[in-house]
């Protein structure tokens, strides 16, 4: 039963609480725990390497190969109440899975440890290879992982190493520093021992006692390590957090939190957590992923951290600490970093293929006030010749923060509003958060309460926390039944006022609780199966994202690809939609840190990501806003967004010149949509991100290894942001030995050189790599939907051999018909003065067909000798002219590059164009 209406004094208390919430106060360091205030982290960091302390000196015994082909063993020590059970399994081509849990058959504690469900792909176990019987010599067992890798298990003390089969060189190791500790679950609390933990005014009852896990992982042949989103940083590589030369010694924290105005430079955890680390060096690429959704802290240890005079060359030691859970870890080895990413994706899933509109520009604000405001913003884009595809509504569109409702005083006709937007090929997005208003008149709350669908507090009652609606409860998204129930809420019948062109935004799903410890749900809250919130906290937003995406899939009867943006995320979130970097600030430092943040998300599977253009908090100075649009136009997810206390900042509000610059940045993105969509298709198959660190394309070039200011878009385009106010020049390193061509004017620049370039207000430095072909669409429309039938331009950048290649992927941009063969996938190859279009779509996907009458109307050839005047199209022996043309169709562009005009060959056909 809901409480009666609160008296005025309690309503005043609620107001004060909301004013003190993350939306009202800047980030304060003392409101969040550091390692010394986190007992499991503090304990783990005090242990010395190669310690002979009883809990750490585990011995491996009873090694055997199970009937399903896994290597099993028992890890024991006389001081432990029960042994640990170890299981090793191999996954093709070069992955090792390590699972360790307690042996509950020995003596059973009141509860068991939590294994995170529904994150790994369901066929992971069935893909495991059958390991051969290990060879054991002098207390060391060796088993082949693949033709060129071995797994070596040292028995006493237990240690595990993945090494090269031929040379014996190590690649990865587990517990080589002797720091593995697995705190056993206890049957009873020892007399005189306190399990409760205090932080500020909050008490964590910790009814199951200490249960943390700690271990070290070492990467060999590595120059740097990367990954572990999400934290603010201007460094792409993970900086050491402990050891000689480290000033502020805090680990990288993975604990999903609603952090208001987060620091641009800090190892402190933000909205999402992916416990995946990639190591790369000139001689090796490897990765490590720990499937664990409890709070995690990870140290990157500087050389000499252990007091040794020197550290083995090319070895990076790391220390992994988690509050609870089990060891379910994966070791990946690749010949190059893309191989490592592909192996990680092979267990957590490929990114979902987005709809075409989602790859275009999105316009958002907290909040567009009413239907008139929405119509005015929509018309403003048309009036100023600026394309956009999606208009967003934040929490104020609802009836009193009750999700799936509309404030009928400001949005009286939501279906008509959406229809008017849709008539121009555009879409809308509304926000749906996990906190359900505790209101007896709110149908979602009444139903969830009646069905017992809310997370419980430690006493077993529905958990009651404070968020935007005031008193709120949270659906238990760990429960598949509740996820199905939630998915049904997105039907047109249940979500009144929604239409087929309305998509969804999940915010505050860490979950954020204004009066909770560290602005989140208490760790001793209870989910289905008596699982404590501490055990799954980092995955709560993942399950919420999953259920929302499934809801849109149900709504469209499985035919319409969902679009759901989520703030919180975990490993596997890439299967359900996009994420963004949260509540950033309108300053130059946050612009700069957005690049390493988005790159890191891409490396860990979340390729569909971006930062709020302009910064969410504060009022960006006009030049900063322009520079942010110029950088943001390259983000995989491109959205402008702002806090309701900021000044309005639609792109036409800053004077004619700056409007033109922002328009140009957005136009550039729209011209590259065919290229971006092709890259998203690649990501949906391989997991290789759309936006990439330079070293992902140039893995042997050490100059690229810690470059977090420049980035690649796919294999073909390199861009370098401008991150300082009034910057006059910028140093841009162009990797590789071949030329690069300026995207704006086609000027060539040498590779393997750092170029000092004068900064122009018109754009940021951006280049096309020689040897590549980039597809574009150069006719600008109101939205991407209206560009569907427009012709293509191919931009060919020849390398020193006079060759180049690229791809184009096209489908209907919205349905799943592509899974049954309804798509076009062409490879363009230029060699020996001939451009050839080749079909690379497989024949075995299904019987559906996608076709288009779109043609290629221009072919720009950078690096072609100016003497060429004609080209011959085969079949047909048709002759077309080559003359100098502009590299783009923007006004003022000069005719400087050889251009094949109007070949008008269809993208769906096989053909060859020979330069005469």
């Amino acid at each position: 039963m809901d409480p009666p209406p609160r008296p005025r004094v309690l309503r005043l208390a609620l107001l004060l609480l909301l004013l003190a919430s993350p939306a009202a106060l800047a980030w304060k360091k003392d409101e969040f725990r550091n390692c010394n205030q986190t007992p499991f982290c503090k304990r783990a960091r005090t242990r010395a390497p190669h310690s002979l302390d009883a809990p750490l000196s585990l011995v491996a015994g009873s090694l055997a190969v199970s009937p399903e082909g896994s290597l099993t063993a028992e890890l024991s020590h006389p001081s432990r109440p029960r042994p640990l059970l170890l299981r090793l399994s191999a996954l093709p081509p070069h992955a090792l899975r390590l699972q360790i849990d307690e042996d509950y058959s020995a003596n059973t504690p009141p509860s068991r440890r939590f294994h995170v469900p529904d994150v790994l792909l369901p066929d992971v176990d069935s893909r495991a290879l059958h390991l051969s019987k290990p060879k054991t010599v002098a207390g060391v067992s060796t088993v082949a992982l693949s033709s060129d890798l071995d797994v070596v298990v040292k028995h006493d003390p237990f240690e595990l190493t993945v090494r090269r089969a031929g040379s014996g060189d190590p690649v990865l190791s587990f517990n080589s520093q002797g720091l593995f500790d697995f705190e056993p679950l206890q049957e009873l609390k020892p007399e005189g021992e306190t399990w409760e933990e205090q932080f500020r005014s909050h008490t964590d009852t910790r009814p199951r006692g200490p249960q943390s896990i700690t271990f070290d992982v070492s990467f060999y042949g590595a120059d740097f390590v990367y990954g572990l989103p999400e934290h603010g940083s201007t460094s792409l590589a993970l900086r050491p957090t402990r050891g000689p030369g480290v000033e502020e010694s805090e680990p990288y924290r993975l604990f999903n939190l609603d952090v208001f105005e987060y620091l641009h430079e800090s190892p402190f955890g933000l909205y999402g957590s992916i416990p995946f680390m990639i190591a790369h060096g000139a001689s090796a690429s490897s990765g490590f992923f720990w499937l664990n959704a409890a709070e995690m802290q990870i140290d990157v240890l500087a050389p000499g951290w252990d007091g040794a005079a020197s550290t083995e060359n090319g070895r990076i030691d790391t220390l992994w600490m988690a509050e609870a859970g089990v060891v379910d870890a994966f070791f990946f080895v690749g010949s190059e970093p893309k191989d490592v990413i592909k192996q990680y994706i092979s267990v957590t899933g490929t990114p979902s293929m987005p709809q075409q509109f989602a790859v275009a520009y999105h316009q958002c604000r907290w909040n567009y006030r009413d239907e008139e405001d929405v119509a005015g913003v929509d018309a403003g884009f048309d009036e100023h010749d600026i394309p956009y595809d999606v208009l967003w509504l934040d929490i104020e569109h609802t009836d009193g923060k009750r999700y799936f409702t509309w404030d009928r005083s400001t949005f009286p006709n939501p279906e008509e509003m959406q229809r008017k937007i849709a008539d121009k090929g555009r879409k809308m997005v509304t926000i749906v958060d996990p906190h359900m208003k505790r209101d007896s008149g709110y149908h979602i709350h009444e139903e969830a309460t009646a069905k017992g669908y809310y997370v419980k507090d430690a006493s077993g009652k529905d958990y009651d926390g404070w968020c935007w609606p005031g008193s709120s409860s949270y659906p238990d998204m760990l429960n598949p039944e509740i996820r199905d129930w939630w998915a049904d809420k997105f039907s047109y019948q249940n979500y009144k006022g929604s239409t087929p062109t309305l998509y969804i935004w999940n915010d505050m799903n860490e979950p954020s609780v204004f009066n909770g410890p560290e602005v989140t749900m208490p760790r001793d809250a209870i989910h289905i199966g008596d699982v404590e919130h501490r055990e799954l906290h980092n995955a709560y937003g993942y399950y919420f994202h999953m259920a929302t995406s499934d809801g849109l899939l149900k709504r469209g009867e499985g035919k319409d690809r969902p679009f759901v943006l989520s703030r919180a995320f975990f490993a596997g979130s890439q299967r359900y939609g996009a994420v963004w970097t949260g509540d950033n600030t309108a300053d130059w430092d946050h612009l700069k840190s957005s690049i390493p943040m988005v790159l890191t998300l891409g490396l860990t599977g979340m390729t569909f990501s971006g930062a709020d253009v302009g910064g969410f908090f504060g009022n960006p100075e006009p030049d900063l806003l322009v520079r942010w649009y110029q950088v943001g136009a390259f983000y995989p997810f491109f959205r402008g967004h702002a806090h309701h206390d900021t000044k309005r900042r639609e792109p036409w509000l800053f004077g004619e010149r700056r409007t033109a610059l922002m328009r140009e940045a957005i136009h550039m993105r729209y011209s590259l949509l065919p290229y971006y969509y092709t890259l998203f298709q690649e990501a949906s198959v391989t997991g290789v991100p759309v936006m990439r660190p330079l070293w992902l394309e140039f893995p042997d070039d050490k100059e690229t290894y810690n470059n977090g200011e420049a980035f690649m878009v796919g294999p073909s385009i390199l861009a370098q942001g401008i991150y300082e106010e009034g910057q006059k020049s910028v140093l841009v390193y162009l990797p590789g030995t071949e030329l690069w061509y300026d995207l704006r004017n086609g000027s060539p620049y040498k590779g393997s050189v750092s170029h000092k370039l004068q900064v122009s207000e018109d754009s940021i430095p951006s280049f096309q790599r020689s040897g590549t072909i980039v597809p574009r669409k150069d006719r600008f429309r109101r939205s991407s939907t209206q560009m569907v039938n427009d012709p293509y331009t191919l931009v060919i950048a020849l390398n020193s051999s006079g060759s180049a290649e690229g791809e184009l992927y096209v489908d209907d941009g919205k349905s799943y018909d592509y899974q049954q063969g309804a798509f076009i996938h062409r490879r363009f190859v230029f060699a020996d003065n001939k451009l050839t279009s080749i079909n690379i779509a497989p024949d075995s996907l299904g019987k559906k067909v996608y076709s288009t009458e779109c043609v290629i109307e221009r072919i720009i050839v950078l690096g072609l000798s100016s003497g060429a005047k004609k080209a011959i199209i085969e079949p047909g022996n048709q002759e077309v002219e080559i003359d100098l043309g502009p590299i783009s169709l923007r006004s003022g562009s000069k005719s400087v590059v050889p251009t094949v005009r109007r070949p008008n060959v269809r993208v769906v056909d096989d053909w060859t164009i020979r330069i005469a």
Side-chain angles (χ1 to χ4, degrees):
M1 182 175 178
D2 290 309
R6 287 175 168 78
R8 182 176 180 180
V9 64
L10 289 184
R11 287 198 296 268
L12 177 60
L14 170 60
L15 176 61
L16 293 174
L17 179 64
L18 291 178
L19 289 174
S21 76
L25 294 175
W27 186 78
K28 292 184 178 179
K29 187 176 182 180
D30 61 357
E31 292 180 352
F32 300 94
R33 302 204 304 183
N34 59 35
C35 181
N36 283 334
Q37 295 168 318
T38 308
F40 80 87
C41 183
K42 184 177 181 180
R43 287 195 304 273
R45 277 185 139 201
T46 61
R47 300 185 184 113
H50 305 292
S51 170
L52 297 180
D53 293 346
L56 303 181
S57 300
L58 293 166
V59 178
S62 303
L63 272 72
V65 176
S66 68
E68 68 272 15
S70 299
L71 180 68
T72 61
E74 186 178 274
L75 303 179
S76 61
H77 191 277
S79 67
R80 296 189 63 87
R82 67 190 69 84
L84 300 175
L85 296 181
L86 174 148
R87 180 185 179 215
L88 288 174
S89 50
L91 292 166
H94 300 109
L96 175 72
R97 185 179 187 182
L98 168 66
Q99 296 169 278
I100 303 176
D101 195 0
E102 299 189 61
D103 181 359
Y104 301 106
S105 65
N107 53 70
T108 306
S111 60
R112 296 193 175 196
R113 290 175 175 269
F114 178 63
H115 294 242
V116 183
D118 303 320
V119 169
L120 300 181
L121 293 178
D123 67 343
V124 167
D125 286 335
S126 66
R127 284 190 274 127
L129 304 174
H130 199 290
L131 291 173
S132 59
K133 183 179 179 181
K135 299 177 181 178
T136 303
V137 178
V140 176
S141 296
T142 304
V143 62
L145 175 61
S146 65
S147 60
D148 55 350
L149 291 171
D150 289 335
V151 180
V152 180
V153 179
K154 181 181 177 183
H155 295 199
D156 186 8
F158 165 65
E159 180 182 339
L160 184 148
T161 303
V162 179
R163 72 181 189 187
R164 306 284 181 192
S167 65
D169 293 337
V171 183
L172 290 152
S173 65
F174 179 94
N175 199 36
S176 60
Q177 306 304 312
L179 293 174
F180 179 36
D181 185 24
F182 201 113
E183 291 184 314
L185 291 172
Q186 301 183 51
E187 296 181 56
L188 296 171
K189 181 168 64 174
E191 187 176 348
E193 188 171 312
T194 300
W195 282 357
E196 290 185 348
E197 290 181 2
Q198 305 286 333
F199 180 69
R200 294 169 70 86
S201 62
H202 300 279
T203 299
D204 177 5
T205 60
R206 287 215 311 161
R208 299 168 192 177
Q211 51 184 302
S212 70
I213 302 172
T214 304
F215 52 76
D216 58 89
V217 174
S218 296
F219 301 86
Y220 299 81
D223 290 350
F224 294 99
V225 288
Y226 313 85
L228 303 182
E230 184 177 40
H231 58 275
S233 180
T234 57
S235 171
L236 177 59
L238 294 169
R239 296 187 177 105
T241 59
R242 184 173 151 205
V246 177
E247 296 181 4
E248 293 189 23
S249 184
E250 276 293 313
Y252 291 100
R253 188 185 191 196
L254 296 184
F255 191 64
N256 293 6
L257 290 171
D258 179 359
V259 185
F260 178 86
E261 288 189 323
Y262 59 83
L263 300 178
H264 75 278
E265 195 76 76
S266 173
F268 188 83
L270 297 178
Y271 310 95
S273 301
I274 300 180
F276 175 42
M277 182 180 286
I278 297 175
H280 180 62
S283 61
S285 296
S286 58
F288 178 78
F289 166 51
W290 185 6
L291 177 57
N292 189 327
E295 178 182 359
M296 203 177 288
Q297 307 261 5
I298 301 101
D299 270 321
V300 176
L301 302 167
W305 68 275
D306 55 355
S310 61
T311 300
E312 184 177 347
N313 187 37
R315 191 189 84 207
I316 297 178
D317 298 325
T318 60
L319 179 66
W320 298 68
M321 305 161 273
E323 183 182 15
V326 297
V327 175
D328 192 354
F330 294 79
F331 303 79
F332 305 115
V333 180
S335 59
E336 63 172 5
K338 287 182 183 178
D339 293 337
V340 175
I341 294 172
K342 291 175 182 178
Q343 290 183 67
Y344 167 74
I345 289 297
S346 75
V347 299
T348 62
T350 55
S352 59
M353 183 66 187
Q355 291 201 41
Q356 175 80 58
F357 80 82
V359 184
Y361 177 63
H362 301 244
Q363 181 66 31
C364 185
R365 179 177 177 81
W366 179 23
N367 205 87
Y368 289 120
R369 299 181 300 269
D370 49 32
E371 291 178 4
E372 183 180 358
D373 198 6
V374 167
V377 172
D378 179 65
F381 276 91
D382 294 339
E383 180 183 345
H384 295 90
D385 190 28
I386 302 173
Y388 88 99
D389 268 62
V390 194
L391 194 63
W392 294 53
L393 296 178
D394 211 315
I395 55 176
E396 310 303 335
H397 84 278
T398 62
D399 177 13
K401 315 300 188 298
R402 298 170 183 86
Y403 300 107
F404 303 101
T405 69
W406 301 84
D407 182 342
R408 293 293 176 167
S409 65
T410 52
F411 294 93
N413 301 297
E415 295 101 326
E416 182 181 355
M417 172 184 66
Q418 294 164 63
R419 181 187 58 76
K420 289 178 179 178
I421 296 291
D423 285 346
K424 300 177 183 179
R426 293 168 177 158
K427 313 292 189 284
M428 293 193 72
V429 166
T430 53
I431 196 167
V432 178
D433 293 347
H435 44 261
M436 297 296 103
K437 183 179 179 71
R438 293 184 61 83
D439 178 350
S440 59
Y442 179 31
H443 66 285
I444 301 285
H445 170 65
E446 287 182 317
E447 190 176 343
T449 301
K451 291 177 177 289
Y453 279 177
Y454 284 137
V455 176
K456 311 303 179 187
D457 64 20
S459 71
K461 299 177 182 178
D462 286 350
Y463 174 68
D464 184 347
W466 295 94
C467 208
W468 296 125
S471 178
S472 304
S473 289
Y474 298 72
D476 183 2
M477 291 297 174
L478 177 62
N479 187 339
E481 177 185 327
I482 298 174
R483 294 201 299 266
D484 286 343
W485 167 80
W486 180 259
D488 287 338
K489 300 307 167 194
F490 293 92
S491 71
Y492 302 122
Q493 180 181 0
N494 288 327
Y495 190 176
K496 305 294 186 184
S498 65
T499 72
T501 58
L502 184 70
Y503 295 88
I504 301 299
W505 172 18
N506 290 160
D507 198 3
M508 313 295 284
N509 55 333
E510 294 75 27
S512 176
V513 182
F514 292 164
N515 64 334
E518 300 190 271
V519 203
T520 193
M521 187 174 285
R523 296 164 192 252
D524 55 7
I526 300 297
H527 296 258
I528 186 176
D530 203 32
V531 175
E532 284 192 295
H533 186 70
R534 80 180 75 249
E535 299 175 279
L536 66 86
H537 172 78
N538 286 344
Y540 181 87
Y542 163 81
Y543 294 122
F544 189 71
H545 195 186
M546 175 198 296
T548 302
S549 178
D550 287 346
L552 293 189
L553 196 60
K554 279 187 177 182
R555 183 189 77 175
E557 300 178 340
K559 300 175 183 177
D560 188 57
R561 297 178 221 164
F563 172 75
V564 183
L565 178 75
S566 175
R567 189 169 71 176
F569 55 84
F570 187 64
S573 289
Q574 66 269 13
R575 304 202 300 270
Y576 301 107
V579 300
W580 89 108
T581 62
D583 298 343
N584 58 358
T585 303
D587 62 40
W588 291 92
D589 288 334
H590 273 258
L591 169 59
K592 185 176 183 179
S593 68
S594 73
I595 299 303
M597 292 179 75
V598 173
L599 289 173
T600 298
L601 286 166
L603 288 172
T604 54
M606 293 305 310
T607 189
F608 201 3
S609 64
D612 284 344
V613 171
F616 179 66
F617 291 110
N619 296 303
E621 55 199 76
D623 289 345
L624 171 61
L625 185 61
V626 168
R627 290 303 188 198
W628 214 317
Y629 268 97
Q630 291 170 345
V631 170
F634 288 103
Y635 294 156
F637 175 61
F638 182 24
R639 181 184 76 156
H641 186 34
H643 190 276
H644 67 77
D645 286 337
T646 65
K647 298 176 183 178
R648 295 292 287 258
R649 61 167 87 144
E650 285 75 33
W652 54 87
L653 298 178
F654 297 88
E656 186 175 336
R657 176 57 182 161
R658 293 189 178 98
T659 295
L661 295 173
M662 288 184 272
R663 179 192 300 117
E664 174 62 24
I666 297 172
H667 275 177
M668 184 274 296
R669 172 55 168 255
Y670 274 75
S671 73
L672 289 173
L673 283 180
Y675 179 61
Y676 270 83
Y677 198 67
T678 300
L679 294 175
F680 271 102
Q681 187 274 338
E682 178 190 6
S684 75
V685 174
T686 68
V688 176
V690 171
M691 183 169 158
R692 310 169 182 178
L694 304 188
W695 54 263
L696 206 59
E697 290 298 321
F698 299 91
D700 298 327
D701 191 337
K702 290 193 173 187
E703 292 294 322
T704 68
Y705 288 179
N706 196 23
N707 187 335
E709 296 187 5
F711 53 90
M712 298 290 296
V713 176
S716 306
I717 292 176
L718 181 151
Q720 163 86 47
I722 301 299
Y723 308 115
E724 296 178 12
E725 182 180 6
Q727 191 170 347
K728 303 298 183 184
S729 63
V730 62
L731 202 63
V732 180
Y733 178 72
L734 299 177
T737 58
E738 297 282 353
L739 293 175
W740 294 79
Y741 295 91
D742 190 299
L743 278 190
R744 287 185 61 84
N745 57 35
S747 298
Y749 291 84
K750 290 183 178 179
S752 296
V753 174
S754 292
H755 298 270
K756 185 177 182 179
L757 304 176
Q758 295 302 305
V759 169
S760 164
E761 69 171 358
D762 294 348
S763 64
I764 60 172
S766 49
F767 306 86
Q768 182 173 340
R769 178 183 181 181
S770 64
T772 66
I773 300 175
V774 171
R776 299 190 324 213
K777 283 195 173 184
D778 290 343
R779 297 184 184 181
F780 301 119
R781 309 292 187 181
R782 290 177 172 181
S783 65
S784 66
T785 307
Q786 297 183 347
M787 299 168 61
V788 168
N789 296 317
D790 285 347
Y792 290 86
T793 293
L794 296 183
V795 183
I796 302 173
L798 299 180
N799 61 18
S800 58
S801 300
S803 61
E805 66 177 60
E807 294 183 11
L808 173 65
Y809 174 86
V810 188
D811 61 24
D812 67 14
K814 55 187 178 182
S815 78
Y816 287 98
D817 286 355
Y818 70 90
Q819 295 178 344
Q820 300 177 58
F823 63 88
I824 298 164
H825 199 178
R826 312 295 300 186
R827 174 170 293 135
F828 303 116
V829 177
F830 189 98
D832 300 323
N833 273 344
K834 290 188 301 184
L835 174 64
T836 304
S837 176
I838 305 166
N839 178 27
I840 58 173
D843 296 327
S844 57
L845 286 179
K847 296 182 179 180
K848 290 195 174 181
V849 174
Y850 176 77
S851 188
T852 176
E853 294 302 315
C854 286
V855 300
I856 296 171
E857 70 170 349
R858 290 198 311 150
I859 300 172
I860 296 169
V861 190
L862 300 170
L864 183 68
S865 62
S866 58
K869 298 298 182 182
K870 293 181 181 180
I872 307 298
I873 301 174
E874 297 290 355
N877 196 30
Q878 177 188 351
E879 185 177 289
V880 291
E881 293 183 352
I882 300 176
D883 55 21
L884 294 182
I887 199 169
S888 76
L889 297 182
R890 64 176 62 90
S891 62
S893 296
K894 297 179 180 179
S895 297
V896 293
V897 290
T899 302
V900 180
R901 294 188 178 276
R902 292 183 292 279
N904 293 335
V905 287
R906 298 201 315 162
V907 295
V908 73
D909 293 336
D910 293 340
W911 43 258
T912 297
I913 299 177
R914 178 171 54 86
I915 306 298

